[in-house]
Amino acid sequence: MYTLSGVTKTYKKGRSRVEALRGVDATIEDGAWLAIQGPTGHGKSTLLQILGGLDRPTTGSVVLGGRTLSRMRETKLTRVRAHSIGFVFQTFNLIPTLTAAENVEAALVPLGVGDAQRKKRAARALESVGLGDRLRHLPTELSGGQQQRVAIARAVVKEPQVLLADEPTGNLDEGTRDEIIDLLEALWQDKGLTMIIVTHDSTVARRARLRGTMIDGLLTIGEATPSWSSPKHSDG
């Protein structure tokens, strides 16, 4: 469970100061699926980075499963990221010279997983995202949707508690977008993840169980509309 208390983030920009987050208070239960929307520049990605331990708040506290991320030493925070938090980004962030399997294996190296076990787990993760026949393909040999599937496999291969996704469908067409969200939903259900997605796409946000809105650095969370199933299963 995440607990955020009075979280602020202030950046210096020249002689001025930018308040990206202005006192965020929130509780996100284990197993939640939260989609966060809001105008560009209102703090969505900043909040996601702080939830993932990629950045620290200026003031306030961020607690994940009883561990205060905002006060951890960097070495310990790095271990928490490596073990407990998976990341998916809009631009995939795959290493172009590595195969799909090698990109996924890379997430297990910081955990000290042996070579044979890394290969086995990477193959299993790619199979779970429908790419069991693409293990040796380079990113340039894969479509955008396939590259995002590799990125998702890389995020979940370490069996994290939390999956954080920043515009995971932003570079995809509508059909591929729906396939990726179907996949993320299936993984969320099967693995019991806490999943937090930042998105500008209301179609994606409507699939979540909770919807948050970031306005002027403040987060408001409410229940999503009750259309929780895939659009292809809806009556309308």
Side-chain angles (χ1 to χ4, degrees):
M1 179 174 72
Y2 274 109
T3 303
L4 286 74
S5 303
V7 172
T8 71
K9 184 64 181 181
T10 303
Y11 297 101
K12 290 184 179 180
K13 189 174 182 180
R15 295 183 178 180
S16 62
R17 296 166 65 87
V18 177
E19 292 185 337
L21 301 177
R22 299 193 302 111
V24 174
D25 297 303
T27 299
I28 304 169
E29 300 288 346
D30 289 340
W33 176 6
L34 169 65
I36 301 175
Q37 293 185 283
T40 299
H42 282 242
K44 302 184 301 300
S45 293
T46 299
L47 177 62
L48 204 69
Q49 290 170 354
I50 286 175
L51 290 172
L54 296 173
D55 199 357
R56 295 179 184 269
T58 303
T59 62
S61 67
V62 179
V63 179
L64 172 61
R67 299 166 295 186
T68 305
L69 304 185
S70 49
R71 296 175 188 164
M72 277 185 184
R73 292 183 177 179
E74 191 59 37
T75 52
K76 188 173 183 180
L77 186 58
T78 298
R79 288 197 296 271
V80 170
R81 286 197 305 265
H83 285 266
S84 301
I85 304 172
F87 298 91
V88 179
F89 302 97
Q90 179 177 348
T91 53
F92 318 140
N93 289 2
L94 301 179
I95 300 172
T97 56
L98 299 185
T99 65
E102 290 167 342
N103 267 283
V104 176
E105 284 183 52
L108 298 174
V109 172
L111 307 186
V113 179
D115 184 67
Q117 189 65 15
R118 285 202 312 270
K119 293 182 186 301
K120 182 178 180 180
R121 287 175 63 174
R124 189 164 60 234
L126 285 165
E127 183 72 34
S128 75
V129 299
L131 292 180
D133 59 346
R134 297 289 191 273
L135 274 64
R136 297 183 181 180
H137 284 61
L138 294 170
T140 54
E141 299 171 326
L142 301 171
S143 69
Q146 290 171 332
Q147 289 184 60
Q148 193 60 295
R149 286 173 182 266
V150 174
I152 292 168
R154 180 183 58 194
V156 301
V157 69
K158 58 188 177 181
E159 300 178 353
Q161 297 172 258
V162 177
L163 182 64
L164 303 177
D166 194 354
E167 297 285 357
T169 62
N171 285 342
L172 306 176
D173 60 67
E174 288 187 5
T176 307
R177 172 202 66 191
D178 292 344
E179 292 174 2
I180 292 299
I181 293 302
D182 284 345
L183 173 60
L184 287 171
E185 181 170 19
L187 290 169
W188 167 70
Q189 292 176 329
D190 293 345
K191 298 180 180 297
L193 295 165
T194 300
M195 188 160 70
I196 303 171
I197 296 177
V198 163
T199 181
H200 282 100
D201 191 331
S202 293
T203 300
V204 172
R206 282 194 292 269
R207 297 283 295 276
R209 303 320 194 244
L210 297 170
R211 293 179 72 174
T213 303
M214 287 291 300
I215 300 290
D216 291 332
L218 294 172
L219 175 66
T220 303
I221 298 176
E223 290 187 5
T225 55
S227 179
W228 288 354
S229 60
S230 170
K232 64 185 178 183
H233 296 144
S234 65
D235 295 332

